[in-house]
Amino acid sequence: MKHVVAIYRAERFSPNSVEKDRAIIEAVGKRLAQKGYEVEYISECELDESHEADIYLSMGRLASTIDFLKHKEDEGAITINTAEGVESCSRSEIDRIMRINGIPAAPMSGTDGYWIKRGDEAAQSKDDVVYARNAAEKEERIKAFRQRGISDIVVTAHLKGDLVKFYGVQGTGFFRMFYPSDDGQYKFEDEKMNGCAYHYAFNSESLHKDAERLSTLTGAEIYGGDCIVGENGTYAIIDFNDWPSFSRCLNDAAYAIVERVMMKINMRTKADNMAYAKETMA
C-alpha cells in the first residue's frame, strides 16, 4: 500500500476557505511522502476511474465523489473520510443522529431567535445559514430557502454563550478547541452573533467524548464542529463537519491524520493476515 490519491474539495464547498482546505490535505500528503508513499493530488471535479490508488484521502463532497469512494471501498481501497462518513455529515442527518443518541444538540425552540440551515449539504454560501429574530421571520426565511429549491431544512433555537470550535481525529487522542472571538478568524459574519467569549467553565473532556462518539456514529474520522457553551457550563453541538481545514492547528492535525492513516493500514493488514490464516487452515 504505497500509492495515495489526495482529493481536493470542490471550491463551492470551501466558502472563504479554499486555500486553507488545500493546505491541510497537502500537509498530510507531504508527511506521507516522507514515509515513502507516492502521493497524487487531484480535484474532485477532475476525479475519474483512471485515478487508481491503495489509499484515498478525500475532502470531496460531490455526489460523484461519494459514488467513486464507495466503488473503491468495494474494491478494497482504504478511504479517509469514507463515503458513509461524508454522507452522514449532512446537517439534517447530523441533527437526527445527535438527537436519537442523546448527544447535546440545540433545542428546537427558544426565546432568542432561530437558526435556519440547509439540511442536505454543508453551507456553500452565507445564505445557507441564516438567523431569524422571531417566529414570523423564521417562516420568511424558510420560505426563502424553498424558493431556492432547498426543502431539506434544519431549524434550531439560538443559544446564548461562548462559541467554541473543535477539531479532532478519531482514535488518536487529537482534539483541539478554539474561541473564534479570541483570534478573530470567522468564516461568516454570523459567527459574531454570540459576541466575545467569556470562557465559561465546562467539561471539555465530555465534549471530546461526545465528538468522538459522533465521529464513530457518522463514520467521519477526520472531523470538526462548533458548540455553544452556556454560562452554567452546559454545551450543545450546533455543527459537525467532515474534514475541516484545521487552520488553527494544521501541523499537529496533519501528524494526527497520518497516524489515523497508519492505524487503518495496520488494521487492514491484520485483517488480511487473519483471513489468509483461516484460508490456509481450511
Side-chain angles (χ1 to χ4, degrees), residues 6-9 11 14 17-29 41-43 59 243-245 250:
I7 304 169
Y8 294 122
R9 184 171 288 155
E11 291 190 5
S14 294
S17 298
V18 173
E19 294 305 317
K20 291 178 180 179
D21 282 352
R22 290 176 69 93
I24 180 59
I25 202 162
E26 287 174 0
V28 174
Y41 298 92
I42 184 73
S43 167
M59 297 184 80
W243 206 320
S245 66
L250 185 144

Side-chain angles (χ1 to χ4, degrees), residues 219-272:
E221 301 158 83
I222 317 301
Y223 65 86
D226 299 350
C227 77
I228 301 295
V229 178
E231 186 177 6
N232 62 358
T234 60
Y235 63 82
I237 295 174
I238 61 170
D239 198 12
F240 189 84
N241 302 306
D242 56 291
W243 206 320
S245 66
F246 293 96
S247 60
R248 293 176 171 91
C249 49
L250 185 144
N251 288 326
D252 289 344
Y255 282 112
I257 294 169
V258 170
E259 180 182 348
R260 182 64 187 176
V261 173
M262 295 299 107
M263 289 170 63
K264 292 197 76 169
I265 292 172
N266 290 336
M267 286 188 286
R268 174 62 59 80
T269 300
K270 184 177 180 179
D272 288 347

Side-chain angles (χ1 to χ4, degrees), residues 13 30 34 43 51 74 87 92 109 116 128 130 133 148 180 185 213 222 254 271:
F13 295 117
K30 178 181 178 180
Q34 291 170 345
S43 167
H51 295 96
D74 289 342
E87 284 187 311
S92 56
S109 61
I116 300 91
D128 290 339
V130 296
R133 293 170 296 179
R148 292 169 57 205
Q185 293 187 41
R213 186 170 172 228
I222 317 301

